[in-house]
């Protein structure tokens, strides 16, 4: 069972929201509808402007507007804002600007393309955490940034008073176990297929793009593990696994966004350089979602 502090927002099922577009603009009405939908589904948190949101295809003004729309509809549901780039002063300025809003934290990646040393990563995340008014959530995703946060580096960063959690896409079970055993960072699975493993090991939650589709089943999965109902949790996960595989059969968020557009009545288009998913994949995905059971 989990032992979550009442004031700790970094637990449970978090949805890294897609960004609906209408032509060349953000579709803010559709985004508001999505936020209301996930609130009603009982998810524990929302991520604005992460990878799944196509933040790299939006400028800073668009990102700020997306964050404001999400905050306006999120109510008591905590919101974390994505923070990705490789210019430290620019990232510190955005951390100060966005952290002044009522967010639960900032989801910060290593500086992509630069591939700094571990000492450089310590300096990078320490400088961001020092500048940010809101807690930092580390985002360890080496296959996108080109550099991995080593366990020793993460354990040193865990000592920083303004670094609270990690989205764990590092690809190392040993590293996941070490962080959970250390206990200072809230470990949130960032790879959807690792959701059950991380929760059963004692991780505090999941940030999963696939939770867009049937958030009720993901919340039920989290609740089952928290209550020690592991047979139920395993059954739920094995039910969801085929849908997860289909959602990642092409680059994220193409499949999930196209599917959500059909389910929620908005244009599911992605911005270049992403491309629309194959129509055959989308048909297979729709059939798999229809076959999912009630929660």
């Amino acid at each position: 069972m989990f032992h979550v502090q009442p004031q700790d927002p970094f637990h449970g099922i978090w949805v890294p929201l897609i960004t609906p577009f209408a032509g060349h603009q953000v579709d803010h009405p559709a985004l508001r509808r999505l936020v209301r939908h996930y609130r009603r589904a009982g998810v524990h948190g929302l991520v604005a402007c992460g990878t799944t949101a196509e933040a790299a295809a939006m400028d800073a003004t668009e990102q700020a507007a997306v964050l404001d729309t999400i905050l306006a509809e999120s109510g008591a549901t905590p919101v974390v804002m994505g923070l990705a780039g490789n210019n430290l002063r620019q990232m510190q300025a955005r951390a100060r600007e966005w952290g002044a809003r009522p967010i639960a934290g900032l989801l910060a990646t290593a500086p992509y393309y630069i591939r700094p040393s571990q000492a450089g990563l310590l300096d990078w995340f320490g400088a961001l955490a020092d500048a940010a008014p809101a807690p930092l959530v580390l985002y360890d995703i080496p296959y996108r940034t080109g550099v991995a946060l080593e366990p020793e580096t993460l354990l040193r960063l865990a000592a920083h008073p303004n670094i609270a959690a990690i989205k764990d896409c590092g690809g190392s079970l040993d590293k996941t176990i070490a962080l959970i055993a250390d206990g200072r960072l809230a470990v949130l699975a960032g790879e959807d297929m690792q959701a059950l493993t991380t929760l059963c090991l004692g991780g505090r939650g999941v940030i999963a793009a696939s939770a867009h589709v049937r958030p009720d089943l993901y919340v039920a999965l989290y609740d089952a593990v928290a209550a020690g109902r592991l047979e139920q949790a395993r059954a739920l996960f094995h039910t969801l696994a085929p849908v997860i595989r289909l959602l990642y059969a092409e680059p994220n968020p193409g499949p999930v966004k196209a599917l959500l557009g059909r389910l929620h009545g908005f244009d599911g288009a992605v911005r270049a350089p992403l491309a629309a998913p194959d129509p055959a994949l989308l048909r297979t995905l729709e059939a798999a979602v229809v076959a999912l059971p009630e929660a």
Side-chain angles (χ1 to χ4, degrees), residues 60-131:
T61 300
E62 287 180 307
Q63 291 186 34
V66 164
L67 175 59
D68 288 338
T69 292
I70 293 171
L71 288 171
E73 294 288 347
S74 61
T77 304
V79 175
V80 160
M81 177 64 171
L83 182 67
N86 52 20
N87 181 303
L88 180 58
R89 285 182 293 176
Q90 185 181 74
M91 292 302 100
Q92 287 175 313
R94 290 186 185 180
R96 285 188 287 265
E97 176 191 348
W98 294 337
R101 291 166 165 85
I103 60 174
L106 290 157
L107 179 64
T109 68
Y112 55 80
Y113 189 78
I114 304 298
R115 300 182 66 192
S117 67
Q118 296 300 300
L121 291 171
L122 282 169
D123 290 343
W124 171 267
F125 286 108
L128 289 179
D130 288 343

